[in-house]
Amino acid sequence: MLLAGASVLSGMPGDTPPQATPVEVPPGSEFDQSRDDDAASLPQLQDTPTPDAVPQVTAPEPDDLSSMDGADTTSSGQPETGQPEAALSAPETPEGETGVTVGTEEPVLPNPQAQAPEAPAGEDDLSISTEPAQPVVPEAEEDSAAFPAPQAGTEGTATPEADSDADPEANGETQAEAETDAATPEAEDEPVVDAPQAPAAPSAEAGEAAAEAAPEEAAPEETETEETETGTTGTIGDIAEGVTTNRLPTALDPAPDPEAEPEPAEAAAEDAVEEAEALPPVRRYAAEFENPENKPLMSIILIDDGTSPIGPAALADFPYPLSFAVDASRPDAAQTAATYRAAGMEVLAMVNLPQNAAASDAETSMSVLLDAVPEAVAVFEGTGTGLQSSREAAEQLAPILKDSGHGLVMFPNGLNTAQKLIAREGVPSATVFRDFDSNGQNASAVRRFLDQAAFRAGQEEGGVIMVGRLRPDTISALLLWGLQDRAASVALAPVSAVLTAE
């Protein structure tokens, strides 16, 4: 209460004005000097220029016609025309010779050789034969059969006793002649080719006499007779000179000696086959490729999943090498790969391992899928689950591919750890540089990607690999790009050349 009363009696603090206190100024600073109150000097006004007198313009004089007072303004008279003459008179004929000969016009006659076209006369007598003439049947001559007839002393049929007593060689010839005569058509139906007559077969009586006279010499004579008949019996003999016949082996030829040494050419061919079979598939089934100019390598792989209307036959004459990835899970994978191989192109087995596959799953799947594409040079990672969904399965690929001898082409994934680990184990492997038509790019975009790949190939040591699909736009882009200058800067090679490049 005391404080409240004191505050009321003391008044407000702001009522007392502030008091000014002198400020101590250091000597010599001239801070406290006052300014002299002199008269202000004002600027002088500029002299305004005086304008000169404005020039006066005189008004123009009005026009009048005073200048035309003496002019002749009358119109000229109308011109007068003469009257036309009633008739024209012929000119007078000059007297004497004028030196000018005037000829009369003669009509131009048509060329006698240019005759008017005439309609062809109809052919009244048309001779059309619907039955062509048949060839004349040659007359059958005596002794024109392929085999000579038996001699006069030989009977056509022999009794069983005579057959048993007769020479077995004669019986065999008689039966052969009978069968040949039965199978040969008659001479009236078909012409018979004249052939050199073979020696007459020995009769049964001659065989009996020979058997009674020399029974010990029967076997050698039979052998010689068989050889003679084998060489001379037939419809056409050895007529041409210098022609070797009967070069094929027969039952009478001696059996080849299995211990005999093969010829040098056969031995070299066998050695080449053995050497080719000893090579791994990445080299055994590789297409021929040469790079004499040592240009950067660039390989193009086209995926054939069976849905494209373009087949191997349409790409057989492609101007540069292409490699084809065939889906190993297709039922016709082996047949499709064989068609590409027959055209001289390389084939890859496109493989997709199961999601989160174990090492045992990878080994089982790879053994089946590699057999589905028997002549594949490498394994290509599929566009589905691929090969890198499981680390255990990816690590198991190294011993599998090293044992089979196949190469490996994988898509880039992070730092490409799986591909680097497999390559460290000695497996020829590489990573795809770009998939240039995965989103249905048109031909111009595909050519632009190929230009970038050709530029990148000059910077990479082993070359680059491009991947596409069997699409009409892609094939058109590849054909057009192959004609450009950028394509000439690289060597377009099969994929085996890039995988095995050192």
Side-chain angles (χ1 to χ4, degrees):
M1 293 297 291
L2 295 176
L3 294 175
S7 62
V8 172
L9 294 177
S10 62
M12 297 298 295
D15 295 341
T16 305
Q19 295 180 1
T21 58
V23 179
E24 294 182 1
V25 178
S29 63
E30 299 181 356
F31 182 78
D32 56 346
Q33 290 183 358
S34 61
R35 186 175 180 181
D36 297 338
D37 190 9
D38 297 336
S41 59
L42 299 176
Q44 297 179 359
L45 298 177
Q46 296 182 358
D47 296 337
T48 302
T50 302
D52 297 337
V54 178
Q56 300 294 327
V57 177
T58 58
E61 296 180 357
D63 295 335
D64 55 2
L65 300 178
S66 60
S67 60
M68 298 180 62
D69 293 340
D72 186 6
T73 59
T74 59
S75 301
S76 61
Q78 184 177 3
E80 298 179 357
T81 58
Q83 298 295 329
E85 297 181 0
L88 297 176
S89 60
E92 297 180 357
T93 304
E95 298 180 357
E97 297 181 356
T98 59
V100 178
T101 303
V102 179
T104 59
E105 296 181 355
E106 296 180 359
V108 179
L109 299 179
N111 190 356
Q113 296 181 355
Q115 299 180 359
E118 299 179 357
E123 298 181 1
D124 298 334
D125 300 333
L126 296 177
S127 177
I128 300 175
S129 176
T130 58
E131 298 180 357
Q134 302 295 331
V136 180
V137 179
E139 297 180 359
E141 300 179 359
E142 296 181 358
D143 299 337
S144 62
F147 297 95
Q151 297 181 359
T154 305
E155 297 179 0
T157 57
T159 60
E161 295 179 358
D163 292 342
S164 59
D165 297 336
D167 189 1
E169 181 181 350
N171 296 337
E173 292 181 358
T174 305
Q175 295 176 1
E177 292 176 1
E179 294 175 357
T180 306
D181 294 338
T184 305
E186 296 179 359
E188 297 179 359
D189 298 335
E190 295 182 6
V192 180
V193 181
D194 295 339
Q197 297 182 359
S203 61
E205 296 178 358
E208 292 177 358
E212 294 176 357
E216 296 179 358
E217 299 177 359
E221 291 179 357
E222 290 176 2
T223 306
E224 294 177 0
T225 306
E226 291 177 359
E227 294 178 357
T228 305
E229 291 177 357
T230 304
T232 58
T233 303
T235 58
I236 300 176
D238 296 337
I239 301 176
E241 297 180 358
V243 179
T244 305
T245 59
N246 297 331
R247 292 180 293 180
L248 296 176
T250 61
L252 300 178
D253 295 339
D257 187 5
E259 298 181 357
E261 297 182 358
E263 296 181 0
E266 297 179 356
E270 292 178 358
D271 294 343
V273 172
E274 292 179 357
E275 292 179 359
E277 292 179 352
L279 295 175
V282 70
R283 297 183 182 274
R284 186 192 316 167
Y285 304 121
E288 296 182 0
F289 172 71
E290 295 181 357
N291 187 15
E293 300 180 2
N294 197 20
K295 293 183 178 180
L297 300 180
M298 178 176 172
S299 178
I300 300 175
I301 301 175
L302 297 180
I303 299 175
D304 186 359
D305 54 359
T307 60
S308 175
I310 303 175
L315 303 175
D317 298 331
F318 209 76
Y320 51 86
L322 297 175
S323 302
F324 295 89
V326 179
D327 191 355
S329 61
R330 292 173 51 182
D332 60 341
Q335 181 180 358
T336 305
T339 307
Y340 284 119
R341 291 291 300 144
M345 303 176 183
E346 291 187 355
V347 179
L348 296 88
M350 188 170 67
V351 176
N352 289 292
L353 292 179
Q355 188 72 22
N356 300 325
S360 59
D361 298 335
E363 186 173 357
T364 304
S365 300
M366 291 299 297
S367 61
V368 176
L369 296 174
L370 289 178
D371 293 340
V373 188
E375 295 188 1
V377 296
V379 174
F380 180 76
E381 183 178 7
T383 56
T385 57
L387 302 175
Q388 307 180 56
S389 61
S390 173
R391 181 175 180 179
E392 297 179 359
E395 293 177 353
Q396 187 65 22
L397 291 175
I400 295 174
L401 297 178
K402 185 177 181 180
D403 183 49
S404 64
H406 292 84
L408 178 63
V409 178
M410 305 180 72
F411 284 99
N413 185 11
L415 299 177
N416 300 326
T417 305
Q419 185 268 331
K420 293 178 181 178
L421 293 176
I422 294 174
R424 188 179 301 174
E425 297 295 331
V427 178
S429 60
T431 305
V432 174
F433 174 66
R434 175 162 293 178
D435 187 352
F436 54 78
D437 64 348
S438 58
N439 296 326
Q441 285 85 347
N442 55 15
S444 60
V446 171
R447 292 198 301 270
R448 184 170 64 253
F449 290 153
L450 293 174
D451 290 340
Q452 296 175 0
F455 177 76
R456 184 64 177 272
Q459 301 175 352
E460 298 289 338
E461 295 181 358
V464 296
I465 298 177
M466 300 289 288
V467 173
R469 288 154 188 81
L470 282 177
R471 297 170 54 245
D473 289 346
T474 301
I475 300 301
S476 175
L478 292 175
L479 288 172
L480 295 177
W481 183 79
L483 303 176
Q484 297 179 0
D485 296 337
R486 181 71 72 177
S489 63
V490 296
L492 296 170
V495 68
S496 63
V498 178
L499 292 176
T500 58
E502 297 180 356

